[in-house]
Amino acid sequence: MHVEARDGLARQLEASGLDLGAPWRVLDLGGRDINGSIRDLLPAAKWTGLDIEPGPGVDLVHDATLPWPAGFERFDLVVCTEVLEHVERWGALLRTASEALEPDGPEALFVTCASTGRRPHGASGGMDPAPGEWYENVAPAALADVLEGVFRFAVVEYQANPGDAYARAQGVRRAVAE
């Protein structure tokens, strides 16, 4: 993870007002460690890494654009860093992230992604996307629209240099049982 994305995530975590030293149960969505970990930002947390393929930091292999399975564990926080630009159905991924959050917890999601003006890059750390690999920068307004449809609170920060969006959202909009 490049330093600007790490700093953006750290700012969003700090701004959330959550106790960053608490033993949160955290889902690291897209958690394969390709170019550095962010897990030290929540040092007491119990981390579960989820990715579409196995690798370092991955505890659970699952396509996160599919709904969260009923029998899967739920989490206090979801962190998704540098993933959305590599997923064609990234809106579905954010909805799945909301489903993975424990209803009685803080229901908080933290996101970093490549945005307007960022050069395309590969999902596995390459300078360019591999042949057949999806890539598209995520516009800050599009990210805000999806988050606001899924969460009661969302904020998106855009940084033109390097072309990143950093976001946090909290309070899942859940269907009311009739």
Side-chain angles (χ1 to χ4, degrees):
M1 161 178 294
H2 61 88
V3 68
E4 295 89 355
R6 182 180 169 80
D7 290 348
L9 174 62
R11 278 194 307 279
Q12 293 302 321
L13 286 165
E14 185 67 34
S16 74
L18 294 171
D19 178 358
L20 304 184
W24 301 114
R25 294 168 301 146
V26 181
L27 177 64
D28 188 357
L29 193 54
R32 189 165 37 113
D33 186 349
I34 294 171
N35 55 5
S37 176
I38 44 84
R39 294 183 179 194
D40 61 306
L41 296 175
L42 295 165
K46 176 188 178 270
W47 289 85
T48 299
L50 180 144
D51 207 291
I52 197 162
E53 60 185 70
V58 177
D59 304 296
L60 180 61
V61 176
H62 177 69
D63 180 350
T65 64
L66 301 174
W68 193 251
F72 278 23
E73 179 181 359
R74 298 265 184 123
F75 298 88
D76 301 308
L77 315 175
V78 175
V79 176
C80 181
T81 59
E82 304 302 288
V83 173
L84 300 185
E85 65 269 24
H86 303 289
V87 179
E88 185 174 6
R89 296 181 54 235
W90 60 266
L93 185 140
L94 293 177
R95 284 186 288 285
T96 299
S98 75
E99 295 166 359
L101 288 165
E102 182 68 52
D104 295 328
E107 296 185 325
L109 169 69
F110 300 90
V111 174
T112 73
C113 62
S115 190
T116 307
R118 181 94 173 272
R119 180 190 184 285
H121 56 277
S124 294
M127 285 296 292
D128 296 301
E133 182 180 301
W134 172 263
Y135 184 91
E136 185 175 291
N137 288 336
V138 177
L143 179 57
D145 284 347
V146 171
L147 290 174
E148 290 166 359
V150 178
F151 292 87
R152 291 189 303 274
F153 167 82
V155 63
V156 176
E157 172 192 350
Y158 172 68
Q159 188 171 344
N161 185 11
D164 279 351
Y166 317 118
R168 72 181 186 282
Q170 202 163 356
V172 176
R173 294 181 189 274
R174 299 188 189 274
V176 177
E178 294 182 22

Coordinates of all heavy atoms in Angstrom, one line a residue, residues 33-67:
D33 N -2.0 -9.8 1.5 CA -0.9 -8.8 1.7 C 0.0 -8.8 0.4 O 0.8 -9.7 0.2 CB -0.1 -9.2 2.9 CG 1.0 -8.1 3.2 OD1 1.2 -7.2 2.4 OD2 1.6 -8.2 4.3
I34 N -0.2 -7.8 -0.4 CA 0.6 -7.7 -1.6 C 1.7 -6.7 -1.5 O 2.8 -6.9 -1.9 CB -0.4 -7.2 -2.8 CG1 -1.4 -8.3 -3.1 CG2 0.4 -6.9 -4.1 CD1 -2.5 -8.0 -4.0
N35 N 1.4 -5.6 -0.8 CA 2.5 -4.6 -0.7 C 2.4 -3.9 0.7 O 2.6 -2.7 0.8 CB 2.4 -3.6 -1.8 CG 1.1 -2.9 -1.9 OD1 0.2 -3.2 -1.1 ND2 0.9 -2.1 -3.0
G36 N 2.2 -4.6 1.7 CA 2.2 -4.1 3.1 C 0.9 -4.2 3.8 O -0.2 -4.1 3.2
S37 N 1.0 -4.3 5.1 CA -0.2 -4.4 5.9 C -0.6 -3.1 6.6 O 0.2 -2.3 6.8 CB 0.1 -5.5 7.0 OG -1.0 -5.7 7.9
I38 N -1.9 -3.1 7.0 CA -2.4 -1.9 7.7 C -2.8 -2.4 9.1 O -3.3 -1.6 9.9 CB -3.6 -1.2 7.0 CG1 -4.6 -2.3 6.4 CG2 -3.1 -0.4 5.8 CD1 -5.6 -2.7 7.4
R39 N -2.6 -3.6 9.4 CA -3.1 -4.2 10.7 C -2.5 -3.5 11.9 O -3.1 -3.6 13.0 CB -2.9 -5.7 10.7 CG -3.7 -6.3 9.6 CD -3.6 -7.8 9.6 NE -4.5 -8.3 8.5 CZ -4.8 -9.6 8.4 NH1 -4.4 -10.5 9.3 NH2 -5.6 -10.0 7.4
D40 N -1.4 -2.9 11.8 CA -0.8 -2.2 13.0 C -1.6 -1.0 13.4 O -1.5 -0.4 14.5 CB 0.7 -1.9 12.8 CG 0.8 -0.9 11.6 OD1 0.4 -1.2 10.5 OD2 1.5 0.1 11.8
L41 N -2.5 -0.5 12.5 CA -3.3 0.7 12.8 C -4.4 0.4 13.8 O -4.9 1.3 14.5 CB -3.9 1.3 11.5 CG -3.0 1.8 10.5 CD1 -3.7 2.2 9.2 CD2 -2.1 2.9 11.1
L42 N -4.7 -0.9 14.0 CA -5.7 -1.4 15.0 C -5.0 -2.6 15.7 O -5.3 -3.7 15.5 CB -7.0 -1.9 14.3 CG -7.8 -0.8 13.6 CD1 -8.9 -1.4 12.7 CD2 -8.4 0.2 14.7
P43 N -4.0 -2.3 16.6 CA -3.1 -3.3 17.1 C -3.7 -4.4 17.9 O -3.2 -5.5 18.0 CB -2.1 -2.5 17.8 CG -2.8 -1.2 18.2 CD -3.7 -0.9 17.1
A44 N -4.8 -4.1 18.6 CA -5.4 -5.1 19.5 C -6.5 -5.9 18.8 O -7.1 -6.8 19.4 CB -6.0 -4.4 20.7
A45 N -6.8 -5.6 17.5 CA -7.9 -6.2 16.8 C -7.6 -7.7 16.5 O -6.5 -8.1 16.4 CB -8.2 -5.4 15.5
K46 N -8.7 -8.4 16.4 CA -8.6 -9.8 15.8 C -9.0 -9.7 14.4 O -10.1 -9.4 14.0 CB -9.6 -10.7 16.6 CG -9.6 -12.1 16.0 CD -10.8 -12.9 16.6 CE -10.8 -14.3 16.0 NZ -11.7 -14.4 14.8
W47 N -8.0 -9.9 13.5 CA -8.1 -9.7 12.1 C -8.5 -11.0 11.4 O -8.0 -12.1 11.7 CB -6.8 -9.2 11.5 CG -6.5 -7.8 11.8 CD1 -5.9 -7.4 13.0 CD2 -6.8 -6.6 11.1 NE1 -5.8 -6.0 13.0 CE2 -6.3 -5.5 11.8 CE3 -7.4 -6.4 9.9 CZ2 -6.5 -4.2 11.4 CZ3 -7.6 -5.1 9.4 CH2 -7.1 -4.0 10.2
T48 N -9.4 -10.9 10.4 CA -9.7 -12.0 9.5 C -9.6 -11.5 8.1 O -10.2 -10.5 7.7 CB -11.1 -12.5 9.7 OG1 -11.3 -13.0 11.0 CG2 -11.5 -13.7 8.7
G49 N -8.6 -12.0 7.3 CA -8.4 -11.6 5.9 C -9.3 -12.4 5.0 O -9.3 -13.6 5.0
L50 N -10.0 -11.7 4.1 CA -10.8 -12.3 3.1 C -10.3 -11.8 1.7 O -10.1 -10.7 1.5 CB -12.3 -12.0 3.3 CG -13.2 -12.5 2.2 CD1 -14.6 -12.9 2.9 CD2 -13.5 -11.6 1.1
D51 N -10.2 -12.8 0.8 CA -9.8 -12.4 -0.6 C -10.4 -13.4 -1.5 O -10.8 -14.5 -1.1 CB -8.2 -12.4 -0.7 CG -7.8 -11.4 -1.8 OD1 -8.0 -11.7 -3.0 OD2 -7.2 -10.4 -1.4
I52 N -10.4 -13.1 -2.8 CA -10.9 -14.0 -3.8 C -10.0 -15.1 -4.1 O -10.3 -16.1 -4.7 CB -11.3 -13.2 -5.1 CG1 -12.3 -14.0 -5.9 CG2 -10.1 -12.7 -5.8 CD1 -13.1 -13.2 -6.9
E53 N -8.7 -14.9 -3.7 CA -7.7 -16.0 -3.9 C -6.8 -16.1 -2.7 O -6.7 -15.1 -1.9 CB -6.9 -15.8 -5.2 CG -6.1 -14.6 -5.2 CD -5.5 -14.4 -6.6 OE1 -6.2 -14.2 -7.6 OE2 -4.2 -14.5 -6.6
P54 N -6.3 -17.3 -2.4 CA -5.4 -17.5 -1.3 C -4.1 -16.7 -1.4 O -3.7 -16.3 -2.5 CB -5.1 -19.0 -1.2 CG -5.6 -19.5 -2.5 CD -6.4 -18.5 -3.2
G55 N -3.5 -16.4 -0.2 CA -2.2 -15.7 -0.2 C -1.9 -15.3 1.2 O -2.7 -15.6 2.1
P56 N -0.8 -14.6 1.4 CA -0.4 -14.1 2.7 C -1.5 -13.2 3.3 O -2.0 -12.3 2.6 CB 0.8 -13.3 2.5 CG 1.3 -13.7 1.1 CD 0.2 -14.2 0.4
G57 N -1.9 -13.5 4.5 CA -2.9 -12.6 5.2 C -4.4 -13.1 4.9 O -5.3 -12.5 5.5
V58 N -4.6 -14.1 4.1 CA -5.9 -14.6 3.8 C -6.3 -15.8 4.6 O -5.7 -16.8 4.7 CB -6.0 -15.0 2.3 CG1 -7.4 -15.5 1.9 CG2 -5.7 -13.8 1.4
D59 N -7.4 -15.6 5.4 CA -8.0 -16.6 6.2 C -9.2 -17.3 5.6 O -9.5 -18.4 5.9 CB -8.4 -16.1 7.6 CG -7.3 -15.4 8.3 OD1 -6.3 -16.1 8.6 OD2 -7.3 -14.1 8.5
L60 N -9.8 -16.5 4.7 CA -11.1 -17.0 4.1 C -11.1 -16.6 2.6 O -10.9 -15.4 2.3 CB -12.3 -16.3 4.8 CG -13.7 -16.5 4.4 CD1 -14.0 -18.0 4.6 CD2 -14.6 -15.7 5.3
V61 N -11.3 -17.6 1.7 CA -11.4 -17.3 0.3 C -12.9 -17.2 -0.1 O -13.6 -18.2 0.2 CB -10.6 -18.4 -0.5 CG1 -10.8 -18.1 -2.0 CG2 -9.2 -18.4 -0.1
H62 N -13.3 -16.1 -0.6 CA -14.7 -15.9 -0.9 C -14.8 -14.7 -1.9 O -14.1 -13.8 -1.8 CB -15.5 -15.6 0.3 CG -17.0 -15.3 0.1 ND1 -17.9 -16.2 -0.3 CD2 -17.7 -14.1 0.2 CE1 -19.1 -15.7 -0.4 NE2 -19.0 -14.4 -0.1
D63 N -15.7 -14.8 -2.8 CA -16.0 -13.7 -3.8 C -16.9 -12.7 -3.0 O -18.1 -13.0 -2.8 CB -16.7 -14.3 -5.0 CG -17.0 -13.2 -6.0 OD1 -16.9 -12.0 -5.7 OD2 -17.4 -13.5 -7.2
A64 N -16.4 -11.6 -2.6 CA -17.1 -10.7 -1.8 C -18.2 -9.8 -2.6 O -18.8 -9.0 -2.0 CB -16.2 -9.7 -1.1
T65 N -18.3 -10.1 -3.9 CA -19.4 -9.5 -4.6 C -20.7 -10.3 -4.5 O -21.8 -9.8 -4.9 CB -19.1 -9.3 -6.1 OG1 -18.9 -10.6 -6.7 CG2 -17.8 -8.4 -6.3
L66 N -20.6 -11.5 -3.9 CA -21.7 -12.3 -3.6 C -22.2 -12.0 -2.2 O -21.4 -11.5 -1.3 CB -21.4 -13.8 -3.7 CG -20.8 -14.2 -5.1 CD1 -20.4 -15.7 -5.0 CD2 -21.9 -14.0 -6.1
P67 N -23.5 -12.2 -1.9 CA -24.0 -11.9 -0.5 C -23.2 -12.6 0.5 O -22.7 -13.7 0.3 CB -25.5 -12.4 -0.6 CG -25.8 -12.3 -2.0 CD -24.6 -12.7 -2.8

